[in-house]
Amino acid sequence: MTHVLDQPVRPEAGAAPGDRTARRRALLRWIAVHSLGVAAALFFVLPFVFLLLTSLMSDSQALSRDLVPHTWEWGNYRKVLDTPGFLTWWKNTLVYAGLGTVLTVVSSIPVAYALAKFRFRGRGLALMLVISMMMLPPQVVVIPMYLFWAKQLDLSGTLWPLIVPMAFGDAFSIFLLRQFLTTIPNEYVDAAKVDGCGELRTLIRVVLPMAKPGIAAVALFQFFYAWNDYFGPQIYASENPGAWTLSYGLESFKGAHHTDWNLTMAATVLVMAPVILVFFFAQKAFVEGVTLTGVKG
């Protein structure tokens, strides 16, 4: 009996101590990584949840410590939409963001294609100029540009000084598209030219279908920029409330309803909702486009 008790306990067959330790470490690592992921997700999501819940509170509860509405005041959104000028700001923002995005993409694609696929003297210098324009703050040229649009063309009080320049390309969009187009093998372009395609037809029929992720990324960047732009409308459209955008009009709305936090939050949700929805439905193309632009320089 003593001999039996003195024998060491052997581990089960197929379960070596090293394997159990490795599995335990892998499980702990999985738990740690996912815990950090959940914590980070909550860190970014909770402010939006607070914003949404506050927008559905009554006037008195919005200033209290309660986090959940006692009564769900969906009428707050109707009050915001019925605010004079709010729908006009919405329409102006759609025109500015939509038309500006189309003009930027259409005008930037040919320049990016030339910088990526053409071989000509001065191409490196042209690329350096594009990069230099990316580093130039808009505040540096705001005074001469304002004098040109307001004094020479008399377009102050409108959004045209912000929309028209987008028809001549954007440095960031050109650079991003150029980086993406360099990932497309030159063999496809050469094969199209051998088949008799000119440069324009090669661009439209061969390059653009392969560049959809990059184009989507550029379009989303430009749409988000125009939708959230505050500086431009403040400079050119501040004197005309009929030309205000949501970003600039929201500042006026907060000033008029600085004590009505529920209405201010509701207006903020209405301003943010289109951007969140666009990114939600286009995030796959956006992430793919941004990722592939760094594959080849």
Side-chain angles (χ1 to χ4, degrees):
M1 184 69 177
T2 305
H3 177 70
V4 174
L5 293 176
D6 291 341
Q7 291 181 351
V9 179
R10 297 180 180 178
E12 297 179 328
D19 295 338
R20 291 199 302 269
T21 302
R23 287 198 297 269
R24 189 180 298 112
R25 289 179 178 176
L27 177 61
L28 293 176
R29 188 181 300 111
W30 184 89
I31 294 174
V33 170
H34 285 75
S35 298
L36 290 176
V38 171
L42 291 175
F43 179 79
F44 288 103
V45 171
L46 287 179
F48 294 99
V49 175
F50 173 77
L51 182 71
L52 181 62
L53 292 177
T54 306
S55 69
L56 295 172
M57 293 180 180
S58 61
D59 294 341
S60 57
Q61 188 185 357
L63 298 177
S64 66
R65 295 183 178 181
D66 297 332
L67 298 178
V68 179
H70 298 161
T71 58
W72 299 85
E73 301 290 342
W74 295 98
N76 291 339
Y77 290 94
R78 172 54 59 184
K79 294 178 182 178
V80 173
L81 293 175
D82 290 340
T83 301
F86 192 86
L87 293 180
T88 301
W89 305 340
W90 193 288
K91 181 192 68 175
N92 294 337
T93 307
L94 284 177
V95 172
Y96 176 30
L99 186 57
T101 300
V102 172
L103 292 176
T104 299
V105 171
V106 171
S107 59
S108 298
I109 288 176
V111 183
Y113 176 67
L115 292 175
K117 298 301 180 183
F118 288 2
R119 297 292 182 268
F120 58 89
R121 182 178 298 178
R123 189 182 69 157
L125 178 60
L127 181 59
M128 289 301 298
L129 289 176
V130 171
I131 297 175
S132 300
M133 291 301 297
M134 291 171 53
M135 301 178 182
L136 185 66
Q139 292 81 4
V140 174
V141 297
V142 65
I143 294 178
M145 292 299 296
Y146 178 81
L147 294 176
F148 173 76
W149 290 106
K151 303 301 181 181
Q152 301 298 325
L153 300 182
D154 195 24
L155 288 177
S156 61
T158 69
L159 294 175
W160 290 114
L162 302 174
I163 296 175
V164 173
M166 296 182 184
F168 300 94
D170 172 70
F172 176 75
S173 301
I174 292 172
F175 178 77
L176 194 64
L177 280 172
R178 184 262 175 190
Q179 293 298 102
F180 186 89
L181 293 180
T182 55
T183 64
I184 299 177
N186 294 328
E187 287 76 9
Y188 291 102
V189 178
D190 297 337
K193 293 179 179 179
V194 170
D195 291 339
C197 293
E199 294 293 351
L200 182 59
R201 189 177 180 185
T202 301
L203 173 62
I204 297 176
R205 300 294 296 275
V206 178
V207 176
L208 292 187
M210 301 177 66
K212 287 181 180 179
I215 296 174
V218 168
L220 286 174
F221 271 125
Q222 186 61 35
F223 182 83
F224 294 159
Y225 164 78
W227 188 274
N228 297 316
D229 186 20
Y230 178 85
F231 181 73
Q234 182 188 32
I235 295 298
Y236 293 104
S238 59
E239 63 189 62
N240 179 18
W244 288 0
T245 59
L246 284 172
S247 58
Y248 188 75
L250 182 61
E251 185 67 25
S252 173
F253 184 90
K254 289 193 297 183
H257 299 82
H258 60 279
T259 58
D260 301 326
W261 285 105
N262 54 338
L263 297 183
T264 301
M265 297 297 184
T268 305
V269 170
L270 291 175
V271 173
M272 295 170 53
V275 176
I276 295 175
L277 291 176
V278 169
F279 181 78
F280 178 79
F281 288 106
Q283 60 178 327
K284 182 179 180 180
F286 176 77
V287 173
E288 183 180 358
V290 173
T291 302
L292 292 179
T293 51
V295 173
K296 182 178 179 181

